[in-house]
Amino acid sequence: MTTNFISPAIPQSYADQQNAQYNHSGSKYVDLKQRFNDTISTLHSMKSSGVRSQLKNAIAVFQKNNPLVKCFEDLQLCVAGLTPMSDILIDITIQRILNLTWVIEILRNFREVQADPIKLYEVTAGGDLAKLYPVGTKLFASWDAQHTAIVYWIIAVMIFNQDPRKVMVPSILYKIKNRADIRENFVSGNSDIGKLRLDSIDLYRQMVLGVRLDGSKKSEWVEAELKQQYLEQAGLFVTAEKFGDTHMSGAISRMTEIDKYTSDIIRKFCMYTTTIPTPRNIVSQEIEIMCAWFNMAKEDGIDYTDDEIVGLGDHLHQLFGADFYESSDFWVKVRKAYENWHKKYYANMPVQHQPKHIKVAKNWNTGGTFLWHQLSKTWTGGRIPALNSSVPFIPAGKDLY
């Protein structure tokens, strides 16, 4: 029997406040000043002071590095515009080797709203093709987006049989004269050196908002939004160290399982957390082990009812308070059981071949294996799936609860 999923009655908890960011009815616009000030205002006073000091230092460094810049207009920024396709060259000594598989992938999934402008710099000297053009012809080389440029060429020439001299390509012209600058731009623009990559939680947030605000039907995004529904119903929220709230009640700071498992597994984990008597944050090992348990059951054809899940959570509380913190009694118990098994397992092996150190990882392989043997012994309120762990660790009965 499956019971209704009832959310905890915690009015405007911290989790509720954080989850509210996913529930806008439409776009919310702020100007650049407000965006900056709003972000600063959310920081704790000490963190805010530190950020302001770093900003002051960065401003000083900028002024030192740009002594001739007296106003914004003095900056030699890129110029956006349209460039004849025939005037765009590729410097193969800077660009990576063309990946035709990626070209085909871009073409296959081509969408106008995702098409990037080609990043160019003016060719002032040299280059094999440059010699073929009349003196005075302005030519431009792409220092980034060569794959997109090739896709544009395929569309214009191979698909529509157009003259590349008459096709205008969206482009951004960078006023660069030094090849070293061009190469540094390419490296930083295509690696973690120059870009702040989207974290897993940032991608998750975009997917949820994409469904709720934009009506996206993309399956992966719809699945993420469904997971968010379950988190909200259980008074949980996803976060990260960078937000400084991983200690708050309901906080999940490990995104691995949220990304890895399907929404039905996340729902079961959320149901399990409703058995936590005192609101707290979710420990990394807890979500890893419990999601892996529910997924192991699923692979064994077991679809736990809500009653079984609640019974499981209650049983874990009776055994060890469902405390998966690294210093908890659970891990002390696991380590002791592992050490005893380890001595027996290697007893007949020559000393020189025995491991010098006993390493007990606090993860699913070790903790999950212990938990399976434990529940096989003491949990009578639900079905026990077949163990899918490959580790040989078998705790002795005397080392279990």
Side-chain angles (χ1 to χ4, degrees), residues 221-252:
W221 294 33
V222 171
E223 180 77 350
E225 195 278 331
L226 185 55
K227 295 175 185 178
Q228 178 60 25
Q229 287 187 41
Y230 296 145
L231 294 176
E232 291 172 1
Q233 292 171 13
L236 306 173
F237 70 99
V238 291
T239 186
E241 291 289 343
K242 64 183 179 181
F243 298 131
D245 58 1
T246 58
H247 63 288
M248 298 297 290
S249 295
I252 296 176

Side-chain angles (χ1 to χ4, degrees), residues 38 44 77 97 100 133 136 158 172 206 221 237 247 264 336 372-373 382 389:
D38 286 351
H44 294 297
L77 299 178
I97 295 173
L100 290 178
Y133 288 81
M158 298 183 68
I172 302 177
Q206 291 300 320
W221 294 33
F237 70 99
H247 63 288
D264 60 311
K336 183 64 176 177
W372 184 87
H373 286 277
S389 175

